[in-house]
Amino acid sequence: MQEDFNSYMEFFKSQPLKEKQSIVIEQLKMLAGLTNNMCKELDVNNELLLNKEIVDLNNGDYTEDDFAEALIVYINSIQNSLCDFSNKLSDVAENI
């Protein structure tokens, strides 16, 4: 596993900045979707956060500020989902 990750990181480091950004965004999108689906599986009311910077990233027309701001949106969306999931899981565990 570590060797595979090291190979992946060597590939990642060899990419131009825009491609690195694209990879980071795609991974955050997958993680945001996963955490949102985790909430849905427990019937937790949870929504993915969206804003203008995410739309700009999807269009490929973005500034470095847009990129940084979109990262914060994705990170906060993931945090919200994980907190909502954790709260629901705690409630379920208390009622067992």
Side-chain angles (χ1 to χ4, degrees):
M1 174 97 163
Q2 184 67 40
E3 189 174 311
D4 290 340
F5 182 72
N6 289 341
S7 295
Y8 175 73
M9 285 306 299
E10 288 304 314
F11 164 77
F12 181 81
K13 289 190 268 184
S14 72
Q15 300 302 302
L17 180 58
K18 285 287 187 184
E19 184 60 26
K20 288 177 182 175
Q21 291 174 335
S22 177
I23 292 168
V24 167
I25 291 300
E26 285 306 310
Q27 290 192 359
L28 284 173
K29 281 182 189 179
M30 288 188 303
L31 189 55
L34 172 66
T35 56
N36 182 255
N37 284 337
M38 289 167 51
C39 288
K40 287 181 181 179
E41 289 293 320
L42 288 181
D43 294 324
V44 175
N45 186 15
N46 182 265
E47 294 180 21
L48 294 174
L49 301 176
L50 298 173
N51 73 349
K52 175 189 170 299
E53 285 73 22
I54 289 177
V55 173
D56 289 345
L57 285 182
N58 289 333
N59 294 334
D61 179 33
Y62 61 88
T63 66
E64 295 303 311
D65 281 340
D66 291 336
F67 178 77
E69 292 160 4
L71 288 180
I72 291 299
V73 173
Y74 278 120
I75 290 167
N76 277 279
S77 186
I78 293 164
Q79 286 175 332
N80 289 343
S81 292
L82 288 173
C83 287
D84 292 343
F85 181 82
S86 177
N87 289 339
K88 179 67 172 190
L89 204 56
S90 293
D91 290 344
V92 169
E94 288 175 3
N95 293 319
I96 293 180

